[in-house]
Amino acid sequence: MSNSYDVAVVGAGVAGCIVSSLLAKRGFKVCIIDAKGAEGVGSKVCGDALIGRGLDLVGFEPPASVITNISSAIRYYAPGIEPITLKTKIFLLDRSKFGQFLLQRAMDNGAVFMEKCRATAPILEGGKVAGINARLTGAKAEFHAKLVIDASGVSEVIRRRLPKDWWVSKPVERRNIALCYREVRRLRGEKVDSKICRVFHDRGIIPSGYYWIFPKNDNLVNVGLGARLTTMDHDIKGRLYRHVLSNSIFKDSEILAQGFGLVPVGPPLDCFLASGFITIGDAAGQVSPFTADGMRPSIISAHIAAEAIAKAEGFDLDRLWCYNIDFMRELGKRHAELAAFGAFFEGLDYGSARSLLSIFGSNAYDFGDFEDFKIGPTLVFKSSLRGFGRLDLMLREYRVVKSARSLYRDYPTSPSGFLEWSERAERFWKGHR
């Protein structure tokens, strides 16, 4: 079986369906390939929380039919400090319905969906990606395309099979992958505050991660735990049961869904493309290192990619380069700052980590200010009142974040400057592990 398209998208997740929808609406002949059947699209281990910040800039909001709750803040807890509240709009979603909605919209706009079709390898011709080899109902299939988009999630079905010397094929380090386990539970006789999403940092329970309780409504919660693969044993389900689900609010609660998942939580890839190829979403490591939120970056990345593709006037590396630039400007710089802060924070001893967090404790902040590291004079003054040690921690944190910001602001405007920049980036990240 052989087919020819303008764009072949591997993966019918959030990023894949949105970019397919946008491109099909612009008149591109688009095919979406996914190993799942249509009924399984949208089923994924996920926190089910979509932070609203930035979605208005791309004109996106989930439909009411897939929203189970809207919270107004994320509240962070750590032993020995007052909670830190970050005010922002958070959509709690029926993840399956959301996926189904996105797929249907893509097909309504003209994209072709090939269900139960497993992509196996890229088709390479003349130093560029020219399509996808796949298995469809047990038979070999070829999908030829001017552009292939890998939106296959953390499995990176196509990206990891590209030539090793291509810039885009650089692997995500194992330390930058997190393992998580989550359950969706219906509470019996207990209720939670549906306006607050709660995140808990406790090194006694989980050394380099956190657990969460997100309210899908006042008696339905998404509860889970996640940490870097390289920093703990893999008994995360046991840890969740021993330290979190043993709480009385979960007594006699009903498990509606459960499962393990992998999430990339490191800095952005240095490059997201090659001639005839783009990667987006989790397959590109485009997850916020701060919140481990993948849906919001996937939505924004899909819009950035669609716009770049539409104006590229060709699919060679040079013509697609604007996608790298635009992503780094919109999200990549911020993700780099967050990854640098995360490395700094995890490197602190327990006492220093508590001291740094205590500067922010007992107050409410705008999520955007926190995410963008807008350290105002009030926080500097507050930290100085609590002693030189805490002021020094605050300033050290700021210097680390500022260095990452400067590096990614200098992202090359053309491929000719990439190798020099990527060497700088490698030196930077080696110094912040």
Side-chain angles (χ1 to χ4, degrees):
M1 178 181 176
S2 180
N3 298 279
S4 182
Y5 296 89
D6 294 325
V7 182
V9 179
V10 179
V14 171
C17 283
I18 291 178
V19 76
S20 298
S21 182
L22 293 170
L23 291 174
K25 192 173 183 179
R26 289 176 180 261
F28 288 86
K29 186 181 179 183
V30 180
C31 177
I32 310 172
I33 298 167
D34 199 286
K36 293 179 180 177
E39 71 286 349
V41 169
S43 176
K44 181 182 178 180
V45 172
C46 179
D48 300 331
L50 173 60
I51 297 170
R53 188 197 182 202
L55 298 184
D56 57 327
L57 299 178
V58 295
F60 184 91
E61 183 169 317
S65 60
V66 309
I67 299 171
T68 64
N69 182 34
I70 299 178
S71 292
S72 56
I74 304 172
R75 185 164 292 160
Y76 287 86
Y77 299 82
I81 69 164
E82 294 297 319
I84 303 168
T85 301
L86 305 183
K87 296 175 291 184
T88 189
K89 189 175 188 178
I90 308 161
F91 300 100
L92 282 302
L93 306 179
D94 182 314
R95 186 65 177 79
S96 182
K97 285 184 179 179
F98 185 49
Q100 292 287 310
F101 163 78
L102 294 177
L103 176 61
Q104 187 60 54
R105 190 171 66 172
M107 292 191 293
D108 288 346
N109 283 338
V112 175
F113 179 53
M114 301 297 297
E115 65 176 331
K116 299 180 182 178
C117 182
R118 185 177 300 277
T120 56
I123 297 172
L124 304 177
E125 294 177 359
K128 65 171 62 176
V129 179
I132 300 162
N133 287 312
R135 302 287 298 182
L136 179 61
T137 61
K140 291 182 179 180
E142 291 184 354
F143 295 86
H144 293 272
K146 298 172 185 175
L147 178 69
V148 169
I149 300 178
D150 189 348
S152 62
V154 72
S155 58
E156 305 167 1
V157 171
I158 301 300
R159 189 176 80 84
R160 63 187 171 89
R161 291 182 170 90
L162 295 174
K164 299 304 180 187
D165 59 343
W166 287 16
W167 298 338
V168 71
S169 63
K170 182 179 179 180
V172 175
E173 295 183 36
R174 191 170 182 270
R175 68 175 303 277
N176 288 326
I177 299 290
L179 175 66
C180 64
Y181 175 78
R182 75 94 175 91
E183 294 183 354
V184 176
R185 288 194 172 223
R186 189 180 306 281
L187 306 181
R188 297 283 177 87
E190 295 278 356
K191 297 202 181 286
V192 294
D193 185 345
S194 63
K195 294 301 179 183
I196 303 294
C197 289
R198 289 174 168 78
V199 176
F200 302 81
H201 290 268
D202 187 336
R203 291 187 178 184
I205 295 175
I206 185 164
S208 64
Y210 58 84
Y211 65 92
W212 66 87
I213 302 174
F214 293 165
K216 293 171 72 72
N217 57 43
D218 61 4
N219 71 341
L220 185 68
V221 297
N222 182 308
V223 54
L225 183 152
R228 294 182 188 272
L229 278 174
T230 54
T231 57
M232 62 173 288
D233 60 69
H234 293 178
D235 185 29
I236 60 172
K237 181 176 179 179
R239 288 173 185 256
L240 185 72
Y241 269 72
R242 289 192 299 273
H243 301 290
V244 182
L245 296 176
S246 56
N247 189 293
S248 61
I249 70 168
F250 297 107
K251 184 178 180 180
D252 298 325
S253 59
E254 178 187 3
I255 300 173
L256 302 183
Q258 59 186 318
F260 292 88
L262 295 173
V263 184
V265 289
L269 296 179
D270 291 349
C271 178
F272 302 106
L273 54 90
S275 289
F277 178 81
I278 276 180
T279 182
I280 62 176
D282 288 14
Q286 294 170 343
V287 173
S288 169
F290 177 35
T291 60
D293 169 23
M295 284 194 287
R296 178 174 54 132
S298 288
I299 293 166
I300 296 172
S301 173
H303 281 80
I304 293 171
E307 187 65 28
I309 292 164
K311 69 182 182 182
E313 298 181 354
F315 301 132
D316 291 336
L317 178 68
D318 289 359
R319 295 182 182 274
L320 291 171
W321 195 258
C322 58
Y323 170 55
N324 275 345
I325 298 169
D326 292 345
F327 181 86
M328 291 303 185
R329 182 181 67 243
E330 296 296 327
L331 286 180
K333 176 172 66 68
R334 182 190 301 159
H335 286 188
E337 294 169 2
L338 294 168
F341 169 74
F344 170 77
F345 183 77
E346 288 177 19
L348 297 175
D349 60 58
Y350 183 63
S352 296
R354 284 181 57 186
S355 293
L356 181 59
L357 289 175
S358 69
I359 297 170
F360 302 92
S362 75
N363 285 319
Y365 305 89
D366 179 78
F367 175 84
D369 288 346
F370 218 80
E371 191 176 41
D372 290 341
F373 292 96
K374 292 181 179 177
I375 301 175
T378 301
L379 278 177
V380 174
F381 178 68
K382 183 178 177 181
S383 60
S384 66
L385 288 179
R386 297 190 176 188
F388 175 77
R390 295 187 187 181
L391 176 61
D392 179 60
L393 280 172
M394 172 73 79
L395 296 178
R396 282 167 56 198
E397 172 208 332
Y398 180 70
R399 285 193 291 269
V400 168
V401 170
K402 186 178 179 181
S403 295
R405 181 179 303 158
S406 176
L407 173 64
Y408 282 79
R409 277 179 177 167
D410 291 342
Y411 192 82
T413 56
S414 70
S416 62
F418 177 77
L419 288 177
E420 179 183 355
W421 182 87
S422 65
E423 289 172 0
R424 285 177 58 199
E426 185 172 356
R427 290 195 299 271
F428 176 83
W429 292 115
K430 280 184 177 178
H432 294 83
R433 290 177 179 170

